[in-house]
Amino acid sequence: MDNKTYLTTDELSERIKYDSRTIRERLKDSVLLEGIHYFRPFGGRKILYIWETIERDMQLAAPAFGIPMANGDVCHG
């Protein structure tokens, strides 16, 4: 049984507090990878993101120490 949560770009945007356009233009295919973080059901154009995988990878990528900046980067001292 598959217990994954599939999200549209707008739904993912609400959860991670990034603009939908930022997800499509800057995150998709750079940090969010097809086949790992998202897929295209039935080979179509629509994209569904896999929440559990994204959530796990966001936690792994969190810096041990840093000051969050307004543009989404982190200052390390």
Side-chain angles (χ1 to χ4, degrees):
M1 183 178 204
D2 188 1
N3 290 327
K4 295 180 181 169
T5 306
Y6 301 116
L7 304 172
T8 65
T9 304
D10 289 337
E11 291 168 334
L12 179 61
S13 170
E14 290 175 21
R15 288 201 185 193
I16 67 171
K17 309 303 183 211
Y18 276 83
D19 187 80
S20 296
R21 190 171 73 179
T22 301
I23 293 171
R24 284 190 300 271
E25 294 176 2
R26 295 188 63 200
L27 299 180
K28 189 176 85 54
D29 298 325
S30 63
V31 295
L32 300 176
L33 305 174
E34 188 166 8
I36 297 173
H37 301 105
Y38 73 91
F39 68 101
R40 298 170 193 273
F42 312 110
R45 291 182 51 195
K46 185 171 190 76
I47 293 174
L48 292 178
Y49 293 89
I50 304 166
W51 171 243
E52 289 76 12
T53 305
I54 294 170
E55 183 179 40
R56 179 200 69 207
D57 289 355
M58 283 180 14
Q59 291 172 355
L60 291 174
F65 172 77
I67 301 166
M69 299 176 67
N71 67 358
D73 289 340
V74 175
C75 177
H76 296 283

